[in-house]
Amino acid sequence: GNSVTQMEGPVTLSEEAFLTINCTYTATGYPSLFWYVQYPGEGLQLLLKATKADDKGSNKGFEATYRKETTSFHLEKGSVQVSDSAVYFCALSASSSGNTGKLIFGQGTTLQVKP
Amino acid sequence: DTGVSQDPRHKITKRGQNVTFRCDPISEHNRLYWYRQTLGQGPEFLTYFQNEAQLEKSRLLSDRFSAERPKGSFSTLEIQRTEQGDSAMYLCASSFSTGQGMAGELFFGEGSRLTVL
């Protein structure tokens, strides 16, 4: 079946450090891929997305590239800030159902950025 | 505030009782979703509506769970005869779907946390 696997957290970094959160997926066909972020006390928000192989999604300094050959969608940011502290979720929308909004999420990775 | 709102934010109940959660989506959104999230896990899809029609239900949604969206606006999720395993955060999301069936961006509410004692 379709699934998403993320690296275990928490990830603790100092401000201005480089961030990578690994995400790999299993899916038939060509899913759409997403990163959602949940800041403390808030609902999930879409951070970025990519809908086909080799697409790069980007937003707020974060980037992720859809790699079909490695079935990965790793999240990166060159210089993190304290305000980036949050829980990050990788997700996919399986192509067999189109983008119905039925998302399959990874377990989430907590990022803590220290000043 | 024009985001997705959920009520109540936290519900504590005893095993065997019924509970109901309400979700008010963003007003122009025609799709509404329910997800469930347990501690340390990502959200799991439960069901979704296009306007008032319930188009898909997950196998996770046992017979004790029922969701409605009368008139295609707000939605309710009812859990009958609650069990301790039902303790979780119940998330609602809404989106605007194009004519081709694309979901568009999902906007999530802050969730309703259920604790079953």
Side-chain angles (χ1 to χ4, degrees), chain B residues 6-75:
Chain B
Q6 294 188 242
D7 184 72
R9 295 292 309 281
H10 195 180
K11 178 72 175 178
I12 301 173
T13 191
K14 293 182 178 179
R15 188 165 50 117
Q17 298 296 304
N18 299 344
V19 296
T20 299
F21 300 112
R22 175 180 170 124
C23 171
D24 287 273
I26 293 171
S27 59
E28 62 268 26
H29 285 181
N30 53 5
R31 287 204 179 178
L32 187 147
Y33 308 80
W34 286 99
Y35 283 78
R36 179 171 66 190
Q37 184 177 18
T38 54
L39 198 61
Q41 300 299 315
E44 295 174 300
F45 170 81
L46 293 179
T47 187
Y48 86 96
F49 295 82
Q50 169 101 4
N51 300 313
E52 67 276 9
Q54 188 173 20
L55 296 188
E56 187 170 347
K57 291 169 56 174
S58 165
R59 285 172 289 181
L60 293 174
L61 216 61
S62 78
D63 291 344
R64 297 184 296 105
F65 287 71
S66 62
E68 295 182 342
R69 193 184 182 197
K71 303 179 183 178
S73 56
F74 72 92
S75 175

Side-chain angles (χ1 to χ4, degrees), chain A residues 36 38 41-46 89 97-108, chain B residues 31 33 35 37 40-43 45 48 56 91 101-106 108-110:
Chain A
Y36 278 81
Q38 187 169 32
E42 299 184 15
L44 284 161
Q45 302 173 25
L46 178 64
F89 292 92
S97 56
N99 185 17
T100 60
K102 177 184 172 184
L103 300 176
I104 296 168
F105 286 87
Q107 76 272 30
Chain B
R31 287 204 179 178
Y33 308 80
Y35 283 78
Q37 184 177 18
Q41 300 299 315
F45 170 81
Y48 86 96
E56 187 170 347
L91 302 174
M102 299 298 287
E105 179 179 347
L106 267 65
F108 283 83
E110 295 180 35

Side-chain angles (χ1 to χ4, degrees), chain A residues 5-114:
Chain A
T5 302
Q6 293 180 233
M7 64 187 286
E8 294 276 342
V11 174
T12 303
L13 296 173
S14 297
E15 209 164 20
E16 299 183 2
F18 184 86
L19 168 71
T20 299
I21 300 178
N22 290 338
C23 171
T24 57
Y25 67 89
T26 301
T28 54
Y30 301 92
S32 296
L33 301 174
F34 306 84
W35 276 101
Y36 278 81
V37 59
Q38 187 169 32
Y39 299 103
E42 299 184 15
L44 284 161
Q45 302 173 25
L46 178 64
L47 181 59
L48 53 84
K49 68 178 182 182
T51 58
K52 60 182 188 296
D54 300 324
D55 266 4
K56 178 185 285 187
S58 61
N59 187 24
K60 300 181 180 180
F62 290 89
E63 293 183 340
T65 301
Y66 188 145
R67 301 287 189 200
K68 186 175 182 299
E69 64 275 13
T70 54
T71 62
S72 65
F73 193 54
H74 304 321
L75 183 68
E76 297 181 335
K77 187 175 185 183
S79 175
V80 294
Q81 305 300 312
V82 172
S83 57
D84 294 326
S85 298
V87 183
Y88 293 81
F89 292 92
C90 185
L92 69 81
S93 177
S95 62
S96 61
S97 56
N99 185 17
T100 60
K102 177 184 172 184
L103 300 176
I104 296 168
F105 286 87
Q107 76 272 30
T109 303
T110 299
L111 171 64
Q112 299 173 337
V113 180
K114 297 186 175 181

